[in-house]
Amino acid sequence: MARIDLVDLAHSYGGNDAPAESFALKPVTMTWRRGGAYALLGPSGCGKTTLLNLISGIVTPSRGQILFDGVDVTKQSTQRRNIAQVFQFPVIYDTMTVGQNLAFPLKNRGMAKREIEARVAEIAALLDLTPYLFRKAQRLTADAKQKISLGRGLVRSDVAAVLFDEPLTVIDPELKWQLRSKLRALHRELDVTMIYVTHDQTEALTFADTVVVMHDGRVVQSGTPAELFDRPAHTFVGYFIGSPGMNIVPAEVRGREARVSGHTIALNRSYDRLPAAAKIEVGVRPEFVQIAPPAPGLLGANIERIDDLGRVRFAHVRVGDTRFSAKVPAGFSVPGKEAALVFDPSRVHVYADSLLVEGTA
């Protein structure tokens, strides 16, 4: 496994002289530790697959450097980087047996037969493929074939990193959870650096120790799932992570108060030096806004609808021209369209031009 350093890395498919905003990957500098489980998360076209292909060597960057354990591999081929990559669709040999598929990468590297057999048996057991070792791959289901593809990526014990490009796209939803759990267990068992590309926040948050959120070719935040949920560093992260996403609304902020549609929301920190020309917004997750009966001193709202998700209910309300999602407390009966909102001040964040602002205590 390897520590991976990206140094001012950027790429444009239109050439290095293309306008900066047209780059598929804007400049990024970051370090991924040895043995870490990472997810690149973002919508289609955000640059996550480009970044993965730069790391693997499929694409050569327009600018910057890629270092594996301090060694510059920017111009090296995928083979020289010693990378294993698993793609959206299974890459296997249908005419081979499952065991032969798993053994193929090891045979290509001249490993001794006894060592190959031991390693194939180990990976097959981890992926629950042992009963199928002598069956032709073409006769197996799509999820079994993708397990073989995963196994081909994991079977080499000397790889610098294993890269996954949306590997569960073709898998049925019920089986996706099982395979995500299996990948997580494999990471703990094998202690290899893994980088997983996905547009699915559930996949990212359940697989990775560190999630790298991308938007418009930029890395907008890198952190643990808890950090992304509790303190989104960018409004896009607040919107993209969570279901429903964070309430992000225009506001006027002075000191420890935010004014939204003429109403005041208390803040637990002071904001006295916000950029004069910046777009100011406040963000608060629906989990930290409670629906309550109308009462003096509380922010009044009109309920538009309530979504019952089984374990929790969320109300969609309007305050003046602004819409919020808010949690409906267990056992609370909504008598009509009129209600009030109760905010947790410690969970209300302030953003200037989409970036989180740190207030003073």
Side-chain angles (χ1 to χ4, degrees):
M1 73 191 89
R3 162 180 157 161
I4 300 174
D5 291 291
L6 311 180
V7 184
D8 200 27
L9 191 69
H11 185 69
S12 169
Y13 292 103
N16 197 29
D17 294 330
E21 284 304 309
S22 72
F23 271 54
L25 179 70
K26 276 74 171 180
V28 57
T29 296
M30 63 189 310
T31 296
W32 292 343
R33 69 186 182 280
R34 299 180 65 184
Y38 292 87
L40 294 176
L41 174 65
S44 297
C46 71
K48 55 188 186 295
T49 296
T50 295
L51 178 51
L52 195 77
N53 289 338
L54 291 172
I55 294 170
S56 71
I58 292 176
V59 176
T60 301
S62 302
R63 303 174 187 171
Q65 293 178 296
I66 303 168
L67 308 178
F68 284 8
D69 287 334
V71 177
D72 190 340
V73 300
T74 310
K75 303 296 183 182
Q76 289 186 5
S77 66
T78 298
Q79 185 175 10
R80 291 284 304 276
R81 296 182 194 199
N82 205 17
I83 286 287
Q85 191 158 359
V86 180
F87 298 93
Q88 289 185 15
F89 302 99
V91 180
I92 60 175
Y93 296 101
D94 279 341
T95 56
M96 291 184 179
T97 66
V98 172
Q100 288 169 337
N101 267 284
L102 295 178
F104 191 76
L106 305 180
K107 284 185 175 180
N108 278 350
R109 284 158 180 78
M111 185 181 286
K113 182 179 179 181
R114 184 172 296 179
E115 292 177 344
I116 292 175
E117 290 174 349
R119 185 63 178 174
V120 166
E122 178 186 359
I123 295 300
L126 289 172
L127 288 168
D128 301 322
L129 288 172
T130 303
Y132 309 102
L133 279 174
F134 300 102
R135 289 182 57 178
K136 295 286 188 181
Q138 65 187 6
R139 300 174 183 173
L140 299 179
T141 60
D143 63 295
K145 288 183 177 181
Q146 191 63 311
K147 279 187 178 182
I148 299 169
S149 191
L150 294 173
R152 283 165 56 90
L154 297 167
V155 73
R156 291 163 49 204
S157 59
D158 63 337
V159 292
V162 183
L163 313 183
F164 302 95
D165 191 357
E166 306 212 41
L168 304 185
T169 299
V170 299
I171 306 302
D172 291 338
E174 183 178 347
L175 295 171
K176 282 186 178 183
W177 181 268
Q178 298 176 22
L179 284 180
R180 281 200 304 268
S181 300
K182 179 63 69 176
L183 274 177
R184 186 73 175 144
L186 285 168
H187 177 259
R188 290 193 295 266
E189 181 78 21
L190 301 175
D191 193 31
V192 64
T193 304
M194 292 185 178
I195 303 172
Y196 188 108
V197 162
T198 181
H199 64 275
D200 186 322
Q201 62 169 298
T202 301
E203 287 188 14
L205 300 177
T206 55
F207 168 78
D209 299 321
T210 302
V211 179
V212 180
V213 183
M214 299 190 66
H215 173 57
D216 192 28
R218 291 184 172 87
V219 172
V220 291
Q221 187 172 2
S222 177
T224 65
E227 289 169 344
L228 299 180
F229 184 85
D230 292 336
R231 291 187 63 78
H234 191 283
T235 54
F236 176 79
V237 179
Y239 164 79
F240 197 72
I241 300 291
S243 183
M246 176 180 271
N247 296 298
I248 301 168
V249 298
E252 296 178 8
V253 175
R254 290 188 180 87
R256 294 178 179 270
E257 291 184 346
R259 296 279 293 175
V260 176
S261 293
H263 301 275
T264 299
I265 299 174
L267 307 172
N268 76 329
R269 300 179 75 84
S270 182
Y271 299 86
D272 297 311
R273 298 182 180 178
L274 295 175
K279 177 184 178 183
I280 304 300
E281 297 168 297
V282 294
V284 56
R285 292 205 176 275
E287 290 82 354
F288 307 119
V289 185
Q290 295 271 8
I291 289 290
L298 295 182
L299 181 61
N302 293 315
I303 297 175
E304 296 186 330
R305 77 172 194 273
I306 293 179
D307 292 338
D308 191 337
L309 305 183
R311 60 181 178 81
V312 66
R313 290 182 297 163
F314 286 105
H316 299 266
V317 306
R318 182 189 290 272
V319 178
D321 295 328
T322 303
R323 286 187 169 90
F324 284 91
S325 295
K327 185 177 180 181
V328 181
F332 181 80
S333 177
V334 181
K337 296 294 185 181
E338 298 298 319
L341 300 180
V342 179
F343 294 81
D344 179 347
S346 68
R347 298 288 190 163
V348 181
H349 304 295
V350 176
Y351 295 88
D353 289 337
S354 298
L355 300 177
L356 181 65
V357 178
E358 297 288 351
T360 56

Short mmCIF file of all heavy atoms in Angstrom, two decimals, residues 48-59 78 82-89 91 146 149-150 152-154 156 159 161-167 195 197:
data_model
loop_
_atom_site.label_atom_id
_atom_site.label_comp_id
_atom_site.label_asym_id
_atom_site.label_seq_id
_atom_site.Cartn_x
_atom_site.Cartn_y
_atom_site.Cartn_z
N LYS A 48 -14.72 13.46 -10.36
CA LYS A 48 -14.23 12.39 -9.49
C LYS A 48 -13.57 11.25 -10.28
O LYS A 48 -12.52 10.73 -9.87
CB LYS A 48 -15.34 11.86 -8.59
CG LYS A 48 -16.59 11.38 -9.27
CD LYS A 48 -17.68 11.07 -8.26
CE LYS A 48 -18.91 10.46 -8.92
NZ LYS A 48 -19.58 11.40 -9.85
N THR A 49 -14.16 10.86 -11.42
CA THR A 49 -13.54 9.80 -12.22
C THR A 49 -12.25 10.29 -12.87
O THR A 49 -11.27 9.54 -13.00
CB THR A 49 -14.53 9.29 -13.29
OG1 THR A 49 -15.65 8.67 -12.63
CG2 THR A 49 -13.87 8.26 -14.19
N THR A 50 -12.22 11.57 -13.26
CA THR A 50 -10.97 12.15 -13.78
C THR A 50 -9.87 12.05 -12.74
O THR A 50 -8.74 11.63 -13.05
CB THR A 50 -11.19 13.62 -14.18
OG1 THR A 50 -12.10 13.69 -15.27
CG2 THR A 50 -9.87 14.27 -14.59
N LEU A 51 -10.17 12.40 -11.50
CA LEU A 51 -9.17 12.32 -10.45
C LEU A 51 -8.71 10.88 -10.24
O LEU A 51 -7.52 10.61 -10.09
CB LEU A 51 -9.74 12.90 -9.15
CG LEU A 51 -8.82 12.86 -7.91
CD1 LEU A 51 -7.45 13.45 -8.21
CD2 LEU A 51 -9.47 13.58 -6.75
N LEU A 52 -9.66 9.94 -10.25
CA LEU A 52 -9.29 8.53 -10.07
C LEU A 52 -8.38 8.07 -11.20
O LEU A 52 -7.38 7.37 -10.96
CB LEU A 52 -10.56 7.68 -10.04
CG LEU A 52 -10.37 6.25 -9.52
CD1 LEU A 52 -10.26 6.26 -8.00
CD2 LEU A 52 -11.52 5.34 -9.96
N ASN A 53 -8.70 8.46 -12.44
CA ASN A 53 -7.88 8.04 -13.59
C ASN A 53 -6.51 8.70 -13.60
O ASN A 53 -5.55 8.13 -14.13
CB ASN A 53 -8.63 8.34 -14.89
CG ASN A 53 -9.82 7.42 -15.11
OD1 ASN A 53 -9.88 6.32 -14.54
ND2 ASN A 53 -10.76 7.86 -15.92
N LEU A 54 -6.40 9.88 -13.01
CA LEU A 54 -5.08 10.51 -12.86
C LEU A 54 -4.23 9.72 -11.87
O LEU A 54 -3.03 9.51 -12.08
CB LEU A 54 -5.24 11.95 -12.38
CG LEU A 54 -5.85 12.94 -13.38
CD1 LEU A 54 -6.13 14.27 -12.69
CD2 LEU A 54 -4.93 13.16 -14.58
N ILE A 55 -4.84 9.29 -10.78
CA ILE A 55 -4.11 8.52 -9.76
C ILE A 55 -3.67 7.18 -10.33
O ILE A 55 -2.55 6.72 -10.08
CB ILE A 55 -4.99 8.32 -8.52
CG1 ILE A 55 -5.25 9.66 -7.83
CG2 ILE A 55 -4.33 7.36 -7.53
CD1 ILE A 55 -6.30 9.61 -6.75
N SER A 56 -4.53 6.56 -11.13
CA SER A 56 -4.20 5.23 -11.66
C SER A 56 -3.20 5.28 -12.80
O SER A 56 -2.52 4.29 -13.08
CB SER A 56 -5.47 4.53 -12.15
OG SER A 56 -5.96 5.15 -13.33
N GLY A 57 -3.11 6.42 -13.50
CA GLY A 57 -2.20 6.53 -14.64
C GLY A 57 -2.90 6.37 -15.97
O GLY A 57 -2.25 6.44 -17.02
N ILE A 58 -4.21 6.16 -15.98
CA ILE A 58 -4.95 6.08 -17.24
C ILE A 58 -4.90 7.42 -17.96
O ILE A 58 -4.85 7.49 -19.19
CB ILE A 58 -6.41 5.65 -16.98
CG1 ILE A 58 -6.44 4.20 -16.49
CG2 ILE A 58 -7.27 5.81 -18.22
CD1 ILE A 58 -7.82 3.70 -16.11
N VAL A 59 -4.90 8.51 -17.18
CA VAL A 59 -4.81 9.87 -17.73
C VAL A 59 -3.59 10.56 -17.14
O VAL A 59 -3.32 10.41 -15.94
CB VAL A 59 -6.09 10.68 -17.39
CG1 VAL A 59 -5.96 12.12 -17.87
CG2 VAL A 59 -7.32 10.02 -18.01
N THR A 78 0.20 2.83 -15.52
CA THR A 78 -0.56 2.16 -14.47
C THR A 78 0.21 0.96 -13.93
O THR A 78 0.25 0.72 -12.72
CB THR A 78 -1.93 1.72 -15.02
OG1 THR A 78 -2.66 2.87 -15.43
CG2 THR A 78 -2.73 0.98 -13.96
N ASN A 82 1.73 0.08 -10.00
CA ASN A 82 1.28 -1.07 -9.22
C ASN A 82 -0.10 -0.83 -8.61
O ASN A 82 -0.33 -1.02 -7.41
CB ASN A 82 2.29 -1.41 -8.11
CG ASN A 82 2.22 -2.86 -7.70
OD1 ASN A 82 1.67 -3.69 -8.42
ND2 ASN A 82 2.75 -3.18 -6.54
N ILE A 83 -1.02 -0.40 -9.47
CA ILE A 83 -2.39 -0.07 -9.08
C ILE A 83 -3.33 -1.18 -9.54
O ILE A 83 -3.16 -1.74 -10.62
CB ILE A 83 -2.81 1.27 -9.73
CG1 ILE A 83 -2.13 2.44 -9.03
CG2 ILE A 83 -4.31 1.46 -9.71
CD1 ILE A 83 -2.66 2.75 -7.67
N ALA A 84 -4.34 -1.46 -8.74
CA ALA A 84 -5.44 -2.32 -9.17
C ALA A 84 -6.69 -1.46 -9.29
O ALA A 84 -6.96 -0.64 -8.41
CB ALA A 84 -5.67 -3.45 -8.18
N GLN A 85 -7.45 -1.62 -10.37
CA GLN A 85 -8.63 -0.80 -10.58
C GLN A 85 -9.83 -1.68 -10.91
O GLN A 85 -9.75 -2.60 -11.72
CB GLN A 85 -8.40 0.23 -11.70
CG GLN A 85 -9.50 1.29 -11.77
CD GLN A 85 -9.05 2.56 -12.47
OE1 GLN A 85 -7.90 2.68 -12.90
NE2 GLN A 85 -9.94 3.53 -12.59
N VAL A 86 -10.96 -1.38 -10.26
CA VAL A 86 -12.21 -2.10 -10.47
C VAL A 86 -13.21 -1.12 -11.06
O VAL A 86 -13.44 -0.04 -10.49
CB VAL A 86 -12.74 -2.69 -9.15
CG1 VAL A 86 -14.05 -3.44 -9.39
CG2 VAL A 86 -11.70 -3.61 -8.51
N PHE A 87 -13.84 -1.49 -12.18
CA PHE A 87 -14.69 -0.57 -12.92
C PHE A 87 -16.18 -0.83 -12.66
O PHE A 87 -16.55 -1.76 -11.93
CB PHE A 87 -14.38 -0.67 -14.42
CG PHE A 87 -12.97 -0.29 -14.77
CD1 PHE A 87 -11.98 -1.26 -14.85
CD2 PHE A 87 -12.62 1.03 -14.99
CE1 PHE A 87 -10.66 -0.91 -15.15
CE2 PHE A 87 -11.32 1.39 -15.29
CZ PHE A 87 -10.34 0.41 -15.37
N GLN A 88 -17.03 -0.01 -13.28
CA GLN A 88 -18.48 -0.12 -13.08
C GLN A 88 -19.00 -1.49 -13.49
O GLN A 88 -19.86 -2.06 -12.83
CB GLN A 88 -19.21 0.94 -13.90
CG GLN A 88 -19.05 2.36 -13.40
CD GLN A 88 -19.90 3.34 -14.20
OE1 GLN A 88 -20.80 2.94 -14.93
NE2 GLN A 88 -19.61 4.62 -14.07
N PHE A 89 -18.47 -2.00 -14.58
CA PHE A 89 -18.95 -3.28 -15.10
C PHE A 89 -17.85 -4.33 -14.92
O PHE A 89 -16.67 -4.03 -15.05
CB PHE A 89 -19.34 -3.14 -16.57
CG PHE A 89 -20.41 -2.11 -16.80
CD1 PHE A 89 -20.08 -0.83 -17.22
CD2 PHE A 89 -21.73 -2.41 -16.55
CE1 PHE A 89 -21.07 0.14 -17.41
CE2 PHE A 89 -22.73 -1.45 -16.72
CZ PHE A 89 -22.39 -0.18 -17.16
N VAL A 91 -14.96 -6.80 -15.15
CA VAL A 91 -13.92 -7.07 -16.13
C VAL A 91 -13.35 -8.45 -15.80
O VAL A 91 -12.46 -8.60 -14.96
CB VAL A 91 -12.82 -6.00 -16.10
CG1 VAL A 91 -11.74 -6.31 -17.13
CG2 VAL A 91 -13.41 -4.62 -16.35
N GLN A 146 -19.30 -9.38 -10.40
CA GLN A 146 -18.63 -8.20 -9.85
C GLN A 146 -17.77 -8.57 -8.65
O GLN A 146 -16.72 -7.97 -8.42
CB GLN A 146 -19.65 -7.12 -9.48
CG GLN A 146 -19.04 -5.77 -9.16
CD GLN A 146 -18.30 -5.13 -10.33
OE1 GLN A 146 -17.48 -5.74 -10.99
NE2 GLN A 146 -18.59 -3.86 -10.59
N SER A 149 -14.59 -9.58 -10.13
CA SER A 149 -13.84 -8.39 -10.52
C SER A 149 -13.19 -7.75 -9.30
O SER A 149 -12.03 -7.32 -9.35
CB SER A 149 -14.78 -7.40 -11.22
OG SER A 149 -14.06 -6.35 -11.82
N LEU A 150 -13.93 -7.66 -8.20
CA LEU A 150 -13.36 -7.14 -6.95
C LEU A 150 -12.19 -8.01 -6.51
O LEU A 150 -11.14 -7.51 -6.08
CB LEU A 150 -14.42 -7.09 -5.86
CG LEU A 150 -15.59 -6.12 -6.06
CD1 LEU A 150 -16.64 -6.33 -4.97
CD2 LEU A 150 -15.10 -4.68 -6.04
N ARG A 152 -10.22 -9.86 -8.32
CA ARG A 152 -9.05 -9.66 -9.18
C ARG A 152 -8.28 -8.41 -8.76
O ARG A 152 -7.06 -8.35 -8.90
CB ARG A 152 -9.49 -9.55 -10.65
CG ARG A 152 -9.84 -10.89 -11.27
CD ARG A 152 -10.62 -10.71 -12.58
NE ARG A 152 -9.88 -9.89 -13.52
CZ ARG A 152 -9.01 -10.36 -14.42
NH1 ARG A 152 -8.76 -11.66 -14.47
NH2 ARG A 152 -8.39 -9.56 -15.26
N GLY A 153 -9.01 -7.41 -8.26
CA GLY A 153 -8.33 -6.21 -7.78
C GLY A 153 -7.64 -6.40 -6.45
O GLY A 153 -6.63 -5.77 -6.17
N LEU A 154 -8.20 -7.30 -5.62
CA LEU A 154 -7.70 -7.47 -4.26
C LEU A 154 -6.67 -8.59 -4.12
O LEU A 154 -5.98 -8.67 -3.11
CB LEU A 154 -8.87 -7.76 -3.31
CG LEU A 154 -9.91 -6.65 -3.17
CD1 LEU A 154 -11.15 -7.19 -2.47
CD2 LEU A 154 -9.34 -5.47 -2.39
N ARG A 156 -3.85 -9.29 -5.46
CA ARG A 156 -2.43 -8.95 -5.37
C ARG A 156 -2.15 -8.26 -4.05
O ARG A 156 -2.69 -7.20 -3.75
CB ARG A 156 -2.04 -8.04 -6.54
CG ARG A 156 -2.05 -8.72 -7.89
CD ARG A 156 -2.07 -7.72 -9.02
NE ARG A 156 -1.05 -6.69 -8.85
CZ ARG A 156 -1.12 -5.49 -9.40
NH1 ARG A 156 -2.16 -5.15 -10.14
NH2 ARG A 156 -0.17 -4.62 -9.20
N VAL A 159 -0.10 -4.42 -4.07
CA VAL A 159 -0.56 -3.23 -4.77
C VAL A 159 -0.38 -1.99 -3.91
O VAL A 159 -0.48 -2.03 -2.68
CB VAL A 159 -2.03 -3.34 -5.20
CG1 VAL A 159 -2.20 -4.39 -6.28
CG2 VAL A 159 -2.93 -3.63 -4.03
N ALA A 161 -2.44 0.63 -4.23
CA ALA A 161 -3.80 1.02 -3.88
C ALA A 161 -4.77 0.28 -4.77
O ALA A 161 -4.42 -0.16 -5.87
CB ALA A 161 -3.99 2.53 -4.03
N VAL A 162 -6.00 0.12 -4.27
CA VAL A 162 -7.08 -0.45 -5.08
C VAL A 162 -8.10 0.66 -5.32
O VAL A 162 -8.58 1.30 -4.38
CB VAL A 162 -7.76 -1.63 -4.37
CG1 VAL A 162 -8.83 -2.24 -5.28
CG2 VAL A 162 -6.74 -2.70 -3.99
N LEU A 163 -8.41 0.92 -6.60
CA LEU A 163 -9.31 2.00 -6.99
C LEU A 163 -10.62 1.41 -7.51
O LEU A 163 -10.60 0.52 -8.36
CB LEU A 163 -8.66 2.87 -8.07
CG LEU A 163 -7.21 3.30 -7.83
CD1 LEU A 163 -6.75 4.21 -8.97
CD2 LEU A 163 -7.06 4.00 -6.50
N PHE A 164 -11.73 1.93 -7.02
CA PHE A 164 -13.05 1.45 -7.40
C PHE A 164 -13.82 2.57 -8.09
O PHE A 164 -14.05 3.62 -7.49
CB PHE A 164 -13.84 0.99 -6.17
CG PHE A 164 -13.17 -0.09 -5.36
CD1 PHE A 164 -12.40 0.22 -4.26
CD2 PHE A 164 -13.34 -1.43 -5.70
CE1 PHE A 164 -11.79 -0.76 -3.50
CE2 PHE A 164 -12.74 -2.42 -4.95
CZ PHE A 164 -11.96 -2.09 -3.85
N ASP A 165 -14.23 2.36 -9.34
CA ASP A 165 -14.99 3.37 -10.08
C ASP A 165 -16.45 2.93 -10.14
O ASP A 165 -16.87 2.21 -11.03
CB ASP A 165 -14.42 3.55 -11.48
CG ASP A 165 -15.00 4.75 -12.20
OD1 ASP A 165 -15.89 5.41 -11.62
OD2 ASP A 165 -14.59 5.04 -13.33
N GLU A 166 -17.25 3.37 -9.17
CA GLU A 166 -18.67 3.04 -9.06
C GLU A 166 -18.91 1.55 -9.31
O GLU A 166 -19.68 1.17 -10.20
CB GLU A 166 -19.49 3.91 -10.02
CG GLU A 166 -19.23 5.39 -9.81
CD GLU A 166 -20.43 6.28 -10.09
OE1 GLU A 166 -21.55 5.91 -9.71
OE2 GLU A 166 -20.22 7.34 -10.67
N PRO A 167 -18.31 0.66 -8.51
CA PRO A 167 -18.33 -0.77 -8.80
C PRO A 167 -19.68 -1.45 -8.56
O PRO A 167 -19.84 -2.59 -8.96
CB PRO A 167 -17.28 -1.33 -7.83
CG PRO A 167 -17.31 -0.40 -6.67
CD PRO A 167 -17.55 0.96 -7.27
N ILE A 195 -9.64 3.55 -2.67
CA ILE A 195 -10.29 4.79 -3.10
C ILE A 195 -11.51 4.42 -3.92
O ILE A 195 -11.40 3.71 -4.92
CB ILE A 195 -9.33 5.67 -3.91
CG1 ILE A 195 -8.06 5.97 -3.10
CG2 ILE A 195 -10.01 6.97 -4.32
CD1 ILE A 195 -6.98 6.67 -3.89
N VAL A 197 -14.99 5.61 -5.89
CA VAL A 197 -15.73 6.69 -6.55
C VAL A 197 -17.22 6.35 -6.57
O VAL A 197 -17.60 5.23 -6.94
CB VAL A 197 -15.22 6.89 -8.00
CG1 VAL A 197 -16.24 7.67 -8.82
CG2 VAL A 197 -13.90 7.64 -8.00
#
